Amino acid sequence: MTAIDPSPTSRTPGRAAAAVAGGALVLAVARELRTPRARRTWHGRVLGVVPYDLRPPTLARVRGTMWQPDRRSPLVPRAFGVGWILNLAAPLALLRRR
């Protein structure tokens, strides 16, 4: 039995995604730190596109983010972090509409 070592090119998409997410996180933190302390919200969008939420997560916000049966979109902004996460209710909502 031989171990299969993935080539560096097979790991490139994951590294690129991590680099983009890391860059978006840096931009989000920089944006918040440039904002006067009294006006910081720690959530918004980077470059008007990528959502971020750097507030401490709560169970209610995580549940509300990941379970949105009224939204058709399978991706929703994360409850904590940068980018999107799966709306776990979207597949069920699609099945119910059929």
Side-chain angles (χ1 to χ4, degrees), residues 22-44:
L25 178 61
V26 168
L27 288 173
V29 170
R31 176 182 175 194
E32 292 295 330
L33 292 177
R34 281 193 320 262
T35 303
R37 188 179 296 258
R39 294 183 52 214
R40 292 179 189 160
T41 62
W42 294 101
H43 66 291

Side-chain angles (χ1 to χ4, degrees), residues 3-11:
I4 299 173
D5 184 28
S7 68
T9 56
S10 68
R11 294 185 296 236

Side-chain angles (χ1 to χ4, degrees), residues 2-70:
T2 60
I4 299 173
D5 184 28
S7 68
T9 56
S10 68
R11 294 185 296 236
T12 302
R15 287 182 181 175
V20 169
L25 178 61
V26 168
L27 288 173
V29 170
R31 176 182 175 194
E32 292 295 330
L33 292 177
R34 281 193 320 262
T35 303
R37 188 179 296 258
R39 294 183 52 214
R40 292 179 189 160
T41 62
W42 294 101
H43 66 291
R45 292 191 176 268
V46 174
L47 303 174
V49 178
V50 181
Y52 69 91
D53 195 336
L54 303 176
R55 301 172 292 178
T58 64
L59 183 57
R61 200 165 69 239
V62 170
R63 185 178 20 210
T65 297
M66 294 180 68
W67 191 261
Q68 297 183 30
D70 296 337

